[in-house]
Amino acid sequence: MSKFISVGKILNFHGIQGEAKVGFSKNQADFFLSLNEVFAKIQNDYKPLKITRSRLNKNFAVVKFDGINSINDLLPLKGTLLFVDENTIRENLEEDEFLIDELVGLEVVDLEGTNLGFIVGVSNNGATDLLSVKTKSKKISLVPFVKAIVTDVDLKGKKVTINNLEGLLE
């Protein structure tokens, strides 16, 4: 069974020809515009929607789906989340990019291999991604996901090595 990952949401209609205003994750415009197909989650079913054209308009995409030619065709889909197959995302990842669910749960160690805690989440502050690390003292510290600090991500070994600068983890 395929695993689906959310890439956007149908916010509203755009014009009267059945085009949709679609919101998507920050910094993912190029990826979203490259898609040919998405899946709309309707109840517990994933319905494929072929994208015939898409373009950016301010902070959202304007998308035309095959077979949706009017506002009336689109209105039942308003508010629907859009997904792609996990493999579609993996094919578009850069060398140093990871899926959040791959990182959550990984052990965090320092350069000497000492266990410091584990990753409980990933967020973004607008400038960079941040790893939420739960330390042995049960506190959660935010670690910038940058090369100078996160020196290695070993998915097979299930650990992330960080340069534990003084004051980084409390």
Side-chain angles (χ1 to χ4, degrees):
M1 185 169 136
S2 293
K3 183 174 179 184
F4 292 97
I5 296 176
S6 176
V7 293
K9 181 179 182 179
I10 297 176
L11 303 173
N12 212 339
F13 57 87
H14 184 81
I16 61 171
Q17 301 296 318
E19 289 183 313
K21 278 179 151 179
V22 176
F24 54 87
S25 297
K26 188 175 182 179
N27 302 325
Q28 295 300 313
D30 291 339
F31 171 72
F32 190 85
L33 294 177
S34 74
L35 296 173
N36 297 317
E37 181 181 62
V38 292
F39 295 86
K41 186 174 184 183
I42 300 169
Q43 295 169 347
N44 287 326
D45 194 31
Y46 292 90
K47 176 186 174 189
L49 293 173
K50 183 177 182 218
I51 297 173
T52 58
R53 69 179 180 266
S54 60
R55 68 184 188 281
L56 287 182
N57 186 348
K58 299 180 185 171
N59 296 327
F60 58 88
V62 176
V63 180
K64 177 71 172 90
F65 298 108
D66 188 38
I68 296 178
N69 299 310
S70 71
I71 293 173
N72 292 336
D73 294 341
L74 185 64
L75 280 178
L77 296 173
K78 184 177 174 182
T80 301
L81 292 176
L82 301 175
F83 295 80
V84 294
D85 185 278
E86 178 181 18
N87 292 330
T88 302
I89 298 261
R90 288 191 187 285
E91 290 167 5
N92 287 282
L93 289 177
E94 301 286 326
E95 182 181 331
D96 289 336
E97 290 182 319
F98 306 93
L99 297 177
I100 291 172
D101 66 348
E102 291 177 319
L103 298 173
V104 172
L106 295 184
E107 176 185 18
V108 177
V109 298
D110 64 15
L111 297 173
E112 288 78 40
T114 305
N115 180 302
L116 302 171
F118 62 95
I119 298 171
V120 295
V122 180
S123 59
N124 186 293
N125 67 1
T128 190
D129 290 324
L130 300 167
L131 301 176
S132 297
V133 177
K134 188 169 190 175
T135 63
K136 290 180 178 181
S137 64
K138 307 289 185 228
K139 291 186 179 183
I140 295 180
S141 296
L142 297 177
V143 176
F145 199 170
V146 294
K147 278 264 188 216
I149 297 173
V150 178
T151 61
D152 185 51
V153 176
D154 180 2
L155 295 177
K156 289 183 181 170
K158 298 187 181 212
K159 70 179 177 181
V160 173
T161 304
I162 67 167
N163 183 4
N164 191 17
L165 305 171
E166 186 174 336
L168 183 63
L169 296 179
E170 298 296 327

